[in-house]
Amino acid sequence: MHPLKDRGFRHPVASDITPRDLWQNRRQWMQAAAAAGMGLAGLSSLNAQAQALTGPGKLPKLAAGRSGVAGAIVMDKPTSYDDLTHYNNFYEFGTDKSDPGRLADSLQTRPWTVTIEGAVQKPRTFGIEDLLKLAPLEERIYRLRCVEGWSMVIPWIGYSLSQLLKQVQPTGNAKYVEFVSQANPAQMPGLRSGVLDWPYREGLRMDEAMHPLTLLAMGLYGEVLPKQNGAPVRLVVPWKYGFKSAKSLVKIRLVEQQPVSSWTRAAPEEYGFFSNVNPHVDHPRWSQATERRIGEDGLFTRKRPTLMFNGYEAQVGSLYAGMDLKKYY
């Protein structure tokens, strides 16, 4: 029997948007359209697609400036707020995509602390209020690619994880970073299942964690994170499959040995430590060559080709120079 089936779980088989400071300036819009060779008709189409990157106003606002990090603003059309808050993998609240949206309201996000320990000179515990003001908040529009074969585009708010890790001064023994999520049975009904060993754990190599695109996210669509999306603070690693981006973080440990991630522990032949998005390395049970973009579900909508490193190869490809990416999947 498959290890996940033994636990009563069957894993499912698997346009452009202009950043805020551009769509607020008509002249820049026209220049962008001309550069793309679209003319007035194309400009009209882009204007029709433009949307204010703000949520419905039910959660506190979270102001942020536009990120200057290379690759931080993709030009894909963002997934609607409704889709990205009602189609979620957050097994602490259940395995159905609708479970987090229905059940995550029980999560208490205040007070909240994140402890950083291990191979650091200055171990420290940060309150969520500390994290919100530790560095300037940035808006970043990232692609998200799920290992199941679907994808989204999300306007996150946060800052590079490296800004936080520098605060604790990693030692020379810090080769990897382990992330631990909240696991409170009183607030998270999914913990009663045997899908995974709780708490949820993920890990990155140190250079991956320090890469400027690796994001510590505390908001999306101009507001604080919804609970079903990993409130109040989560990891976002855009060139890896979505399960690498641990939600509702409570602990970060810098360690010398490679940590064992939750999905790797559950099914090591299917979920490797690196889990970089790679159209040339299939999941053992389905192809990774294409993906379905959530919100593009029309009868005649074709699946999109999956991009190497989810389209971030120019920024992160050098991290894996010389590695056999089929062996180190």
Side-chain angles (χ1 to χ4, degrees):
M1 289 290 289
H2 189 277
L4 298 185
K5 293 180 180 179
D6 289 343
R7 301 179 185 210
F9 175 69
R10 294 179 180 271
H11 206 306
V13 174
S15 38
D16 294 339
I17 178 77
T18 301
R20 178 178 298 171
D21 60 340
L22 290 186
W23 59 253
Q24 287 180 335
N25 187 304
R26 179 177 176 81
R27 179 175 297 176
Q28 288 177 295
W29 264 87
M30 295 186 71
Q31 291 172 343
M38 291 181 286
L40 293 178
L43 176 60
S44 177
S45 175
L46 281 176
N47 272 293
Q49 290 180 356
Q51 53 186 283
L53 300 181
T54 57
K58 296 180 180 180
L59 297 174
K61 298 295 183 184
L62 200 59
R66 184 181 182 224
S67 178
V69 172
I73 306 289
V74 302
M75 299 302 288
D76 303 46
K77 178 182 177 181
T79 302
S80 73
Y81 185 93
D82 186 67
D83 280 338
L84 67 89
T85 55
H86 289 87
Y87 192 91
N88 307 102
N89 280 335
F90 199 169
Y91 291 164
E92 286 87 338
F93 297 100
T95 58
D96 190 88
K97 295 292 186 290
S98 64
D99 287 343
R102 294 188 302 106
L103 302 173
D105 191 56
S106 59
L107 179 65
Q108 301 301 309
T109 59
R110 296 293 190 281
W112 192 278
T113 59
V114 179
T115 298
I116 308 182
E117 61 186 27
V120 300
Q121 295 183 41
K122 295 184 177 181
R124 183 175 168 186
T125 295
F126 295 84
I128 184 60
E129 293 78 11
D130 301 321
L131 295 176
L132 284 166
K133 61 186 180 183
L134 183 142
L137 294 174
E138 301 178 359
E139 184 172 75
R140 302 186 183 187
I141 305 176
Y142 281 176
R143 301 181 191 92
L144 181 148
R145 172 61 154 83
C146 182
V147 73
E148 296 168 356
W150 55 267
S151 64
M152 293 183 174
V153 177
I154 302 178
W156 301 104
I157 293 176
Y159 47 76
S160 297
L161 175 67
S162 60
Q163 298 274 21
L164 176 61
L165 297 182
K166 290 175 183 176
Q167 298 294 313
V168 296
Q169 298 182 18
T171 71
N173 291 329
K175 308 299 183 185
Y176 296 89
V177 184
E178 181 182 45
F179 304 90
V180 183
S181 295
Q182 174 69 292
N184 186 329
Q187 300 176 18
M188 297 172 152
L191 295 178
R192 294 191 288 269
S193 76
V195 174
L196 294 170
D197 293 328
W198 309 109
Y200 191 85
R201 299 175 185 272
E202 254 308 332
L204 296 174
R205 208 170 57 190
M206 192 67 186
D207 57 349
E208 296 176 319
M210 296 298 288
H211 193 280
L213 284 177
T214 300
L215 183 68
L216 191 72
M218 287 160 279
L220 56 78
Y221 263 108
E223 299 179 356
V224 302
L225 280 176
K227 294 179 179 180
Q228 59 266 42
N229 293 93
V233 56
R234 62 169 291 169
L235 183 69
V236 181
V237 191
W239 68 93
K240 294 178 179 287
Y241 292 116
F243 67 87
K244 293 293 293 184
S245 296
K247 304 177 179 74
S248 299
L249 295 174
V250 294
K251 185 177 293 186
I252 299 174
R253 297 180 64 240
L254 280 68
V255 296
E256 188 169 8
Q257 302 299 319
Q258 180 175 298
V260 179
S261 303
S262 290
W263 279 107
T264 303
R265 184 182 300 278
E269 72 284 3
E270 298 188 6
Y271 305 102
F273 176 78
F274 288 96
S275 290
N276 293 316
V277 176
N278 190 339
H280 309 298
V281 177
D282 292 336
H283 186 282
R285 289 180 280 137
W286 57 80
S287 169
Q288 295 289 19
T290 60
E291 63 196 61
R292 176 174 61 92
R293 179 67 53 84
I294 299 301
E296 297 179 346
D297 294 331
L299 180 62
F300 301 104
T301 301
R302 293 183 178 180
K303 289 186 175 182
R304 293 168 172 258
T306 294
L307 303 175
M308 187 67 195
F309 295 112
N310 205 24
Y312 298 92
E313 185 171 10
Q315 290 79 31
V316 304
S318 61
L319 296 178
Y320 310 101
M323 289 180 60
D324 182 344
L325 297 181
K326 291 188 176 181
K327 178 179 180 181
Y328 299 102
Y329 59 94

